[in-house]
Amino acid sequence: MTDQLLRNEYPRPQFVREEWMSLNGEWDFDYDDQGIGEREAWYEEQHDFTSKIIVPFCYQSRLSGIGDTAFHDTVWYRKVFSVPEAYRKGRLLLHFGAVDYEAKVWVNGKLVALHEGGHTPFHADITDVLAEGDNTVVVKAVDHSRDVTLPRGKQFWEEKSAGIFYTRTTGIWQSVWLEPVSDTYIGRIRLTPDIDVNDIALDVFLSGYRPGALVGIKVVVTFNGEFVAEDTFSFRHESASRRIHLEDFNDHGLGRWWTPEKPNLYDLELTLSVDGVVADTVSSYFGMRKISIEDGKLLLNNRTYFMKMVLDQGYFPEGILTAPSDDDLRRDVELTKEMGFNGARKHQKIEDPRYLYWADRLGLLVWGEMANAYQFSGPYVARITKEWIQAVERDYNHPCIVAWVPLNESWGVPNILVDKQQQQHALSLYHMTKSLDLTRPVISNDGWELVNTDLVTVHDYEWRREVLTDRYATKEAALSAQPGNRWIMVPGFPYSGQPILATEFGGISFKKNEWEGWGYSGAVNEEDFTERLRNVVEPMLQSPIIQGFCYTQLTDVEQEINGLLTYDRKPKLPLETIRAIVEGTRK
């Protein structure tokens, strides 16, 4: 297997250190269907693992080398690694991009990490448990396959995928890596652009800070290698905030704002010193971009902007939730843009940061969406709240992210129309997200049965052109239509002038040469598919009230055949045909 397939690109491109070591590749692997692994101390050396797996691919995927889709809720991994001598001078962090769903991690038999949440990263400081010579990391992952209160997205709770639900992912499914740091280092940063005053607000959070130590941060901002700004400041706390003014043009077509059409990015380098000695250097980037709502209009950089998005499930035939390579993530962004879309709604998946990097770099709007559970319970509330906070924190700095979607189609809150407790849960997620990020709109329950929300988003799989034209001719008609027999707004939460978008529609099924699979409506040949596509897209483009749309969907996924591309990313129609329809009269 090539280095590319082992995903040896730096896994966290928004927060980069030069020194790091990938642990992707072959690991020892075992099922623990009887749940005896901890009792028998499999995290110690004596257990004889029975098979091998290629990390970061889950055992259900073909790229893992296993390809077993049966239920195995508890799995174990082991890998022996050596630590370069240069890494032993300070602290050593062990990073996991994502492990689905619960993870326990041991190094040399010592427990170093516990984490719950299948889509968000975590790390452990393993410095104090390292041995001379070889070291051993062991991971136990538990994924409750049948638990419908688990935030799982499109992962099905039955063994064989069906309808709109797909093969599960259990265990490690994003990169694992080692990273040396100093005793005090930059833990994370928060970047908030303000195009109205041409400032970038910087929040710096330190790890390992010693009370009383004098720390200094030097910040250098460049654009395409050209110096823009520099700032140096000192403080005696675990965190600090700074606003840096950018001395360059940002309007009248002369500027460096970020848009899908011109994805301008500034580069940022931060150097940390502790008591006068350099301790850490981190590089990052940001885009000067603003998403806002004024007088009922959705604006990008203070100008009205029509969002033309596509629903993207983020699944791959051989890797399931894990892309085979970085090139595959980049190609999904490129194909989306080549078809005329300016955005993607990453559906029921907190996407790999490498995808968001390419969306930032190539210019694609992204709606960040939580992987939902399906039923409501007390444990569900705790699980989704904790993981959603982690997701928003992880992705806050990406300029491509322009909206947050904590809930979709009442998943996890199936009785929200009448259940006050479920309404309060949706409200709590809405307000919590706003408390973490005031710079992006939040959709309380995408599709229908909305409570407080910044955008009113409607899912409508009607295929008849004349019905769509009439339905979206006025706000009154759209809000009273109840597509899917669902109320748009929950009673008691009236519409208050928010922008209206059709965030799922289309879903036209088409499979060349044979007709089988699942979809919302079907085409029998390319000509029929083209006409049906035009019949659903053009009413959205021509509607006087719709301010954006999200077509279902980018690719086929397993039994779903309603993609514009096949599951292996082959266009079902010429890309230029799709682009002409999508661009239409709204450019």
Side-chain angles (χ1 to χ4, degrees), residues 28 71 116 240 414 483 491 550:
D28 299 325
F71 284 140
E116 181 183 59
C550 180

Side-chain angles (χ1 to χ4, degrees), residues 71-131:
F71 284 140
H72 298 288
D73 283 5
T74 303
V75 296
W76 288 75
Y77 302 77
R78 181 178 66 194
K79 188 176 183 69
V80 177
F81 63 95
S82 59
V83 179
E85 192 60 35
Y87 287 16
R88 293 180 178 270
K89 296 177 181 178
R91 313 300 297 178
L92 187 63
L93 307 181
L94 172 62
H95 290 275
F96 292 85
V99 180
D100 198 355
Y101 173 74
E102 298 168 2
K104 280 189 173 183
V105 183
W106 293 263
V107 173
N108 298 328
K110 302 294 194 301
L111 183 66
V112 297
L114 297 169
H115 185 260
E116 181 183 59
H119 290 75
T120 50
F122 63 98
H123 70 270
D125 184 334
I126 64 173
T127 312
D128 296 334
V129 300
L130 291 176

